[in-house]
Amino acid sequence: MAPDDFAEFVRGRHVELLRFAYLLCGDRYLAEDLVQDALERTGMAWHRVQRQDDPEGYVRRTITNRFLNRLRALRSERLVGDPPERGYVDREPPDHALWHLLARLPRQQRAVLVLRFYLDYSEAQIAQTLGCSTGTVKSTTSRALAKLRQQLPANSQLASVEKGAS
């Protein structure tokens, strides 16, 4: 049985963690799996995690790492040609073009952008979360933004804002 403070943490942060995971992977069901897995791992180590005084950071790091390492886990699964039927269709974010471009980025670039612009993490926090140097974070962010800008239609609202900002 989970400690009361862990259950309270889950109740208070679950929706935000799901939103974060969804932005990271772009799939509602995978996001739910990532959050569930991260919370399981956190619950088993709750006393140690709580002593670090940043349980949410621990869970977000776990979600991010599980997302980035997912390909290794998929290698051992048996993939099928047809996905199962879906009873519920997710609503897409308002900017469909940008969402699709973000979904096409490599996992590491997408993770860096989500951590930077959704969670507003500093480069140092991202480097700590991903276990890399701040230089790697800077170059990955630069490449990801360049790729997005290159693929944005010239008439999109974001492209106009980006050109005005430079």
Side-chain angles (χ1 to χ4, degrees), residues 18-127:
L18 278 173
R19 187 175 298 125
F20 167 70
Y22 178 76
L23 286 172
L24 205 54
C25 67
D27 179 270
R28 174 181 171 222
Y29 302 105
L30 176 56
E32 290 172 353
D33 288 346
L34 290 169
V35 170
Q36 180 66 32
D37 183 43
L39 290 174
E40 258 181 58
R41 292 167 184 270
T42 303
M44 292 185 332
W46 181 246
H47 295 294
R48 179 178 49 84
V49 170
Q50 196 175 24
R51 282 194 306 263
Q52 294 175 357
D53 203 32
D54 187 19
E56 186 166 346
Y58 179 88
V59 175
R60 289 184 192 276
R61 276 190 305 279
T62 303
I63 290 169
T64 304
N65 290 336
R66 298 299 291 169
F67 168 69
L68 292 173
N69 294 326
R70 187 168 176 269
L71 286 178
R72 273 188 250 157
L74 283 177
R75 289 182 191 138
S76 64
E77 292 182 13
R78 185 176 152 258
L79 301 177
V80 295
D82 296 321
E85 290 185 29
R86 291 181 109 171
Y88 175 79
V89 177
D90 293 319
R91 268 187 342 135
E92 287 197 19
D95 192 340
H96 302 295
L98 183 58
W99 180 254
H100 290 293
L101 292 175
L102 184 63
R104 282 196 230 148
L105 287 176
R107 290 173 176 270
Q108 187 83 11
Q109 289 180 7
R110 184 175 180 165
V112 167
L113 291 184
V114 169
L115 290 168
R116 181 73 182 106
F117 297 106
Y118 177 69
L119 291 181
D120 201 26
Y121 274 21
S122 69
E123 290 164 343
Q125 289 172 309
I126 296 169

